[in-house]
Amino acid sequence: MPLFFYSKDGTNTRSASGQPGFEYWQNKADYKLSAKLNESDNEITGTSSITYTNNSPDSMSFLWMYLDQNLFKEDSRGNAVIPITGSRNGAQGEIFDGGHKIKSVKIVTSVKGISTEKEAKYLINDTRMQVFLPQELKSRGGVVTIKIDFSFISPKEGSDRMGILGTKNGKIFSIAQWYPRMCVYDDIAGWNTNPYQGASEFYMEYGDFDVSITVPANHFVVCSGELINVSEVYTVDQQKRFSQAKQSDKTVVIRSKEEVLTAVNATTKTHKTWHFKMKNSRDVAWASSASFILDGARINLPSGKKSLAISAYPVESEGNEAWGRSTEFTKALIENYSKRWFEYPYPTAINSASIVSGMEYPGIVFSSYKDKGKDLWDTANHEFGHIWFPMIVGSNERLFAWMDEGFNTFINSLSSDDFNNGEYKDKPVDMHVIGLKYTNPDLETVMSSPDNMKEANIGDLCYRKPSVGLVILREQVLGAERFDLAFRTYIDRWAFKHPAPDDFFRTVENVAGEDLSWFWRGWFVNNWRLDQGINSVKYVDDNPKLGTLITIENFEKMVMPVVLDIKTKSGKISRLKLPVEIWQRNKDWTFKHNSTEEIESVVLDPDHVFPDYNESNNAWKSVK
């Protein structure tokens, strides 16, 4: 079925070629955020001022927002679907007064420089809030500003995405999903309001952020974006080291272990405020602690621009075998991904030690404070890879986790090959073993959302199976040159935009010049299996000198190209490659091999590069 893979034609907003259409639009959300941390109560109190621009062709009488902290309310949908055996999601058994407390929602208007605030009607349902506008927001450029006062108690373990880690020198707060955030309004579904249940991640609009975070005076804060008030929050010596780190390719300590232990930076003030700005981002997250050791190094970008790698970790995580190499890893990863795919757009890249095992946000990631060596590399590699998917390429994680987790897992394998002469290079995988596992009939499809998968299957279906699919596509179907050009084109086309699966499929096909409907259909859309086998080996007219007729068969629904090693009695081995087109009209295929002597053996997929789950029919040997 090579035609009609796509369910719809191209539109004015999404071209049939896979690029944004000539009338593509997306809305914009700019945030001015302030937060205050109460360390003793684990409470964050804040104000969110959102300036929302409606670039759509539709007028709006209401807006939808996410209140992600409501996942941790006792009566949330996310809590309701946690099995009695437990889950990574939710508050992991903690009983506390979770959820966003919305104190007020106001519409802010400004006339001749004078601002007025008017209470707005709103309705909260689980992790969503609907805000009703006093007058319709005009299409194609209408702007409204909404001010929300809120607070919440941070969970200690929040769905392994945020939380609080106790250390001997103070708590580490890793704060995310912390402010009311705009839902995306797009040309595919209108308002995207799927509830947050923990497993599926996020889908957000882009905008500019101005963030002020007030914390106890002995705390140090790392946050998405650029620190604006360095002189107000760092000591004079720390300011000098901070500046040195910006100019150094080697890691420079900004706040040392000794400073943590002796608290020489303590002030008489009870609190201090850290000020950050972030441009063209979909989110911001932050971490705060009195226990942070801080170090940094310069990141060199392909255009000549610079960024700054920063690591924040407690004394428990120090050492060159552990977090002492975090900044080295961060710098190498950002430089590698920038060179291979798309230049890193943010002023800093922060790796913050956390109770979280690994989670990504624009410009900052949370990694386990326990990680060392290869574990730390793998976590940093994966979480910083997410800067490209979905922070730069803003796909809908809530529905299509494979478009960020899978793509990211794929690029992780290439960066591991590149780093430090392959120091952490992974061993090649046996695709036959992978095929047996990843095409198990009991699995859901890759195209399923994480909320519709058994939790135990998410790692395979969202991360590893789509990654393996891209490896096959790159190494066995298109070749590295054609694939890499198509993949880079996809990133470039959809940077800071909202692609859907068809936009990816169409881009790869158009740039590579190949109909790949058979590939998408078998590996992503359906959970089909691959079983290629050898049926028979015969000589033409029973004479080995006249050549050999080899018959192979495709026993399942998935198709792939064919690779065979043919060994003659003299020991000569010939490798034969057949295109996937042999299966267009056939379940079995007979071809002539121009040999002039007896055949000793034929092996199908000798290097195990295709996900053939049944090896029993992959080899033929002559019978004496």
Side-chain angles (χ1 to χ4, degrees):
M1 219 172 109
L3 298 178
F4 309 114
F5 168 72
Y6 299 105
S7 60
K8 57 184 179 297
D9 296 333
T11 67
N12 292 353
T13 54
R14 294 173 191 267
S15 168
S17 69
Q19 58 189 315
F22 68 93
E23 289 187 347
Y24 177 81
W25 55 265
Q26 68 187 47
N27 293 344
K28 189 171 189 281
D30 298 318
Y31 295 85
K32 186 176 178 62
L33 304 171
S34 64
K36 185 173 183 178
L37 171 63
N38 184 326
E39 183 176 21
S40 59
D41 294 339
N42 300 337
E43 184 177 36
I44 288 89
T45 304
T47 298
S48 173
S49 183
I50 308 165
T51 300
Y52 184 70
T53 304
N54 176 23
N55 294 315
S56 82
D58 307 320
S59 59
M60 298 177 173
S61 60
F62 55 83
L63 307 177
W64 279 102
M65 301 176 130
Y66 276 120
L67 303 178
D68 297 307
Q69 288 298 317
N70 284 0
L71 171 68
F72 307 113
K73 291 174 67 72
E74 187 177 359
D75 62 351
S76 74
R77 296 188 192 185
N79 265 333
V81 299
I82 291 176
I84 59 173
T85 53
S87 171
R88 174 189 180 189
N89 302 311
Q92 298 176 42
E94 181 188 2
I95 305 299
F96 72 113
D97 185 18
H100 269 115
K101 308 294 188 298
I102 302 299
K103 300 177 180 178
S104 68
V105 178
K106 298 177 181 178
I107 306 297
V108 181
T109 57
S110 182
V111 178
K112 295 182 179 180
I114 300 176
S115 295
T116 58
E117 300 178 358
K118 185 176 180 180
E119 295 284 346
K121 180 184 175 182
Y122 62 92
L123 180 65
I124 296 175
N125 183 282
D126 197 52
T127 57
R128 293 79 51 85
M129 177 169 70
Q130 189 175 24
V131 178
F132 298 93
L133 302 177
Q135 57 188 30
E136 280 201 337
L137 182 61
K138 293 181 179 179
S139 63
R140 304 193 187 281
V143 178
V144 65
T145 298
I146 302 170
K147 182 180 178 182
I148 304 171
D149 292 323
F150 65 92
S151 67
F152 67 92
I153 304 294
S154 173
K156 293 177 181 176
E157 296 184 56
S159 265
D160 206 19
R161 305 192 192 285
M162 61 172 297
I164 306 168
L165 171 68
T167 78
K168 60 186 177 183
N169 295 304
K171 300 175 184 177
I172 294 177
F173 291 84
S174 301
I175 304 300
Q177 290 85 58
W178 58 283
Y179 57 95
R181 306 189 292 183
M182 292 300 307
C183 296
V184 171
Y185 188 86
D186 64 22
D187 61 311
I188 298 174
W191 285 110
N192 287 262
T193 58
N194 302 76
Y196 177 43
Q197 298 180 57
S200 290
E201 292 183 295
F202 311 107
Y203 186 33
M204 289 168 285
E205 298 288 15
Y206 289 91
D208 299 335
F209 288 79
D210 187 316
V211 186
S212 297
I213 302 168
T214 301
V215 296
N218 63 341
H219 273 226
F220 282 73
V221 177
V222 286
C223 177
S224 305
E226 181 179 7
L227 178 60
I228 301 301
N229 60 336
V230 176
S231 63
E232 296 176 17
V233 293
Y234 283 150
T235 67
V236 173
D237 286 341
Q238 290 163 357
Q239 292 173 48
K240 291 178 181 178
R241 297 180 215 138
F242 186 79
S243 296
Q244 289 170 2
K246 286 184 171 183
Q247 304 301 323
S248 174
D249 286 321
K250 298 292 184 182
T251 301
V252 174
V253 174
I254 299 168
R255 187 190 188 219
S256 67
K257 171 184 176 180
E258 290 70 29
E259 287 173 294
V260 172
L261 298 178
T262 60
V264 296
N265 60 315
T267 69
T268 56
K269 295 170 63 176
T270 57
H271 291 89
K272 58 184 176 184
T273 299
W274 297 65
H275 187 192
F276 300 87
K277 287 189 176 182
M278 186 74 151
K279 295 285 187 181
N280 201 20
S281 178
R282 50 176 252 163
D283 196 11
V284 289
W286 51 279
S288 180
S289 181
S291 71
F292 277 152
I293 297 171
L294 298 167
D295 61 41
R298 178 180 65 195
I299 297 171
N300 303 301
L301 300 174
S303 68
K305 293 180 180 179
K306 310 298 179 186
S307 185
L308 177 63
I310 298 175
S311 296
Y313 51 94
V315 170
E316 290 90 331
S317 304
E318 69 161 340
N320 204 47
E321 299 302 312
W323 275 73
R325 294 190 72 186
S326 170
T327 291
E328 175 195 352
F329 294 166
T330 302
K331 170 183 166 65
L333 287 164
I334 301 300
E335 290 176 350
N336 180 281
Y337 289 132
S338 294
K339 184 178 179 180
R340 267 192 180 273
W341 306 118
F342 188 93
E343 184 164 292
Y344 185 74
Y346 301 123
T348 54
I350 301 160
N351 195 8
S352 179
S354 174
I355 195 171
V356 178
S357 64
M359 186 60 198
E360 71 282 355
Y361 301 95
I364 186 171
V365 305
F366 300 150
S367 304
S368 172
Y369 77 104
K370 297 179 181 179
D371 282 346
K372 297 180 179 180
K374 189 177 188 304
D375 288 339
L376 182 60
W377 164 263
D378 286 342
T379 304
N381 188 11
H382 185 77
E383 305 313 332
F384 280 116
H386 272 304
I387 299 298
W388 282 262
F389 307 102
M391 306 309 164
I392 293 174
V393 181
S395 57
N396 187 344
E397 299 177 274
R398 190 64 51 91
L399 298 182
F400 306 111
W402 62 271
M403 293 183 73
D404 68 288
E405 299 293 0
F407 290 2
N408 182 27
T409 303
F410 164 71
I411 66 174
N412 296 160
S413 64
L414 299 178
S415 59
S416 289
D417 291 349
D418 293 340
F419 177 69
N420 199 24
N421 298 315
E423 179 180 358
Y424 297 123
K425 183 176 182 178
D426 291 318
K427 296 179 181 179
V429 297
D430 185 328
M431 289 291 188
H432 290 186
V433 176
I434 293 297
L436 182 65
K437 181 180 181 183
Y438 293 169
T439 62
N440 186 312
D442 292 335
L443 291 176
E444 303 88 350
T445 67
V446 169
M447 291 288 279
S448 303
S449 78
D451 287 332
N452 291 332
M453 297 174 183
K454 295 182 179 66
E455 189 172 339
N457 295 341
I458 288 175
D460 285 341
L461 292 175
C462 297
Y463 294 68
R464 292 180 283 275
K465 182 173 179 177
S467 172
V468 165
L470 296 188
V471 171
I472 296 169
L473 193 60
R474 182 179 192 261
E475 304 298 336
Q476 308 305 326
V477 179
L478 296 178
E481 185 174 4
R482 281 206 295 167
F483 176 89
D484 288 358
L485 175 60
F487 204 59
R488 280 194 296 269
T489 302
Y490 168 70
I491 297 171
D492 187 64
R493 284 178 173 180
W494 291 98
F496 310 107
K497 296 181 177 70
H498 297 313
D502 277 5
D503 301 314
F504 173 70
F505 297 148
R506 290 176 185 271
T507 293
V508 175
E509 291 191 351
N510 275 262
V511 177
E514 204 70 59
D515 175 9
L516 297 167
S517 57
W518 57 272
F519 188 85
W520 313 131
R521 192 176 284 116
W523 196 254
F524 289 91
V525 178
N526 299 291
N527 184 33
W528 289 347
R529 309 199 86 176
L530 178 70
D531 181 14
Q532 299 174 338
I534 302 168
N535 277 356
S536 66
V537 177
K538 301 177 180 178
Y539 301 115
V540 176
D541 295 336
D542 289 329
N543 186 347
K545 294 183 179 181
L546 297 180
T548 307
L549 298 177
I550 301 174
T551 300
I552 57 177
E553 184 168 344
N554 203 73
F555 294 96
E556 291 276 2
K557 286 187 175 182
M558 186 184 292
V559 293
M560 287 286 170
V562 175
V563 178
L564 300 108
D565 274 356
I566 304 169
K567 184 178 181 181
T568 62
K569 288 291 186 179
S570 64
K572 180 183 177 182
I573 298 176
S574 300
R575 175 155 294 190
L576 183 69
K577 296 184 179 182
L578 299 174
V580 72
E581 280 78 6
I582 65 171
W583 306 122
Q584 275 185 309
R585 298 181 296 275
N586 316 284
K587 280 185 62 179
D588 52 56
W589 182 250
T590 300
F591 62 94
K592 180 184 177 184
H593 177 62
N594 293 321
S595 55
T596 57
E597 59 176 315
E598 291 185 40
I599 303 299
E600 180 177 300
S601 65
V602 179
V603 179
L604 197 154
D605 192 17
D607 297 333
H608 293 201
V609 295
F610 294 112
D612 190 328
Y613 81 98
N614 178 20
E615 285 189 350
S616 65
N617 53 20
N618 281 29
W620 174 93
K621 289 186 178 182
S622 63
V623 179
K624 294 183 180 180

